[in-house]
Amino acid sequence: MRYLGLLLTFEVLVSTAAFADVAPCSKDRLKFCNDGNTAPEKVRACLLLHKDELSDACRARLGDQAAPG
């Protein structure tokens, strides 16, 4: 029983840590690109159109292409 509790705690911690970095652009996507299109290449293109308005985390995820300027 104790093993099960430790296993469940570990699973929650791992899944929470993994989820924290999964979508740094999710709020930006909802704000700027909420047209229902979920194709990754379309979402990326849309986000890049708004690169000067993106959060720092999203800009970092998109890399050099999203650098302001």
Side-chain angles (χ1 to χ4, degrees), residues 6 8 31 39 47 50 61 63 67:
L6 289 173
L8 289 174
K31 184 175 181 181
L47 289 172
H50 296 279
R61 174 60 77 121

Side-chain angles (χ1 to χ4, degrees), residues 21-66:
D21 191 47
V22 167
C25 294
S26 61
K27 288 182 182 178
D28 294 305
R29 181 181 177 275
L30 288 173
K31 184 175 181 181
F32 301 114
C33 309
N34 197 17
D35 63 357
N37 193 337
T38 58
E41 64 277 359
K42 298 288 187 182
V43 172
R44 183 177 180 81
C46 175
L47 289 172
L48 289 171
L49 288 174
H50 296 279
K51 66 183 178 182
D52 295 332
E53 304 166 83
L54 298 177
S55 66
D56 291 339
C58 184
R59 198 174 303 125
R61 174 60 77 121
L62 290 173
D64 292 339
Q65 292 179 339

Side-chain angles (χ1 to χ4, degrees), residues 12-26 57 61:
V12 169
L13 291 174
V14 169
S15 63
T16 302
F19 183 72
D21 191 47
V22 167
C25 294
S26 61
R61 174 60 77 121

